[in-house]
Amino acid sequence: NKPIQVSRGGSNRNPLIAGDRVIFLSSFEGNPDVYSFSLKEKQLRNLSRSKGYDTQPTISGDGEQVAFVSTRNGSMQLLAGNQKAIKGLKLNFSALNPSVANDGTIAFEDTNGKVYIVDRKGMLQNISYHKETDYTPRISANGRRVVFGSLRNNRRSICVYDRDLNKLNIVAEGFNAPPVLQGLGEDL
């Protein structure tokens, strides 16, 4: 098999694959932008094309939805959409570490250590129910559950929030690493 050249040089990092799509950061056109490559169509698209710094790309399990963080308006803005149309979400605070579900729902943290989810209609929900720090949220492919790290009770914990039940559970304590959702699972 002959390798497929996805990028034309520059610094390439943070590759993720889902469905027939690979997304990654590249600076081959200057500043870092988010790119999507279709393995099926052998086509490269710049999804972010801005003068701001774009970072932290994420892709849904089916490869259709993307989200990333950009400084194009002076703060860490969350941008999201499908492979054809990306738009900024109107948030009154900076967003970090996004994770996107197949339906476009996004889990992310703010700079104050709170975890939120926002759906495609723009409905925002804080799922941090305390004053301590929560971090690195990952949403399941079907958007039902969000797993994230937390510093509750002065201990590192792993929490799971169930959107259908509107319930938060601490599933593990004493861990030093953020949670990882392997394989962009359909559910946790």
Side-chain angles (χ1 to χ4, degrees):
N1 282 344
K2 183 179 175 186
I4 300 170
Q5 183 174 347
V6 174
S7 174
R8 300 177 206 115
S11 173
N12 301 305
R13 58 191 184 280
N14 300 79
L16 297 168
I17 188 169
D20 79 331
R21 303 268 181 195
V22 176
I23 64 166
F24 60 96
L25 289 175
S26 181
S27 60
F28 78 86
E29 291 182 298
N31 63 312
D33 283 320
V34 177
Y35 291 84
S36 172
F37 182 79
S38 169
L39 297 169
K40 184 177 174 182
E41 300 163 1
K42 312 281 189 272
Q43 188 174 27
L44 181 66
R45 290 190 66 231
N46 183 330
L47 298 177
S48 60
R49 199 173 306 280
S50 78
K51 293 183 181 179
Y53 182 82
D54 300 320
T55 188
Q56 300 177 352
T58 186
I59 189 167
S60 61
D62 63 3
E64 295 300 318
Q65 304 296 319
V66 295
F68 57 92
V69 175
S70 177
T71 62
R72 64 185 63 192
N73 292 329
S75 65
M76 301 297 275
Q77 179 185 11
L78 185 61
L79 284 92
N82 59 30
Q83 295 286 334
K84 294 181 175 48
I86 303 293
K87 65 178 183 173
L89 301 176
K90 291 177 173 51
L91 303 174
N92 294 324
F93 48 83
S94 294
L96 303 166
N97 295 318
S99 176
V100 63
N102 293 347
D103 68 358
T105 300
I106 302 168
F108 64 94
E109 66 182 277
D110 70 5
T111 55
N112 294 316
K114 300 298 172 221
V115 171
Y116 294 85
I117 51 176
V118 61
D119 66 21
R120 291 181 105 169
K121 297 175 186 171
M123 294 294 297
L124 183 69
Q125 181 182 3
N126 179 342
I127 60 172
S128 293
Y129 294 109
H130 65 99
K131 61 185 178 187
E132 304 300 329
T133 301
D134 292 335
Y135 55 93
T136 319
R138 295 293 171 252
I139 194 165
S140 60
N142 65 10
R144 180 176 176 198
R145 294 189 176 112
V146 179
V147 61
F148 57 91
S150 182
L151 296 175
R152 295 168 191 261
N153 305 320
N154 294 320
R155 296 191 62 160
R156 291 190 183 271
S157 303
I158 294 178
C159 301
V160 174
Y161 175 75
D162 186 310
R163 293 178 63 206
D164 289 348
L165 300 176
N166 192 27
K167 185 176 180 182
L168 180 73
N169 289 308
I170 297 173
V171 296
E173 289 187 320
F175 291 89
N176 288 323
V180 175
L181 187 56
Q182 292 287 52
L184 299 169
E186 183 62 28
D187 203 2
L188 302 175

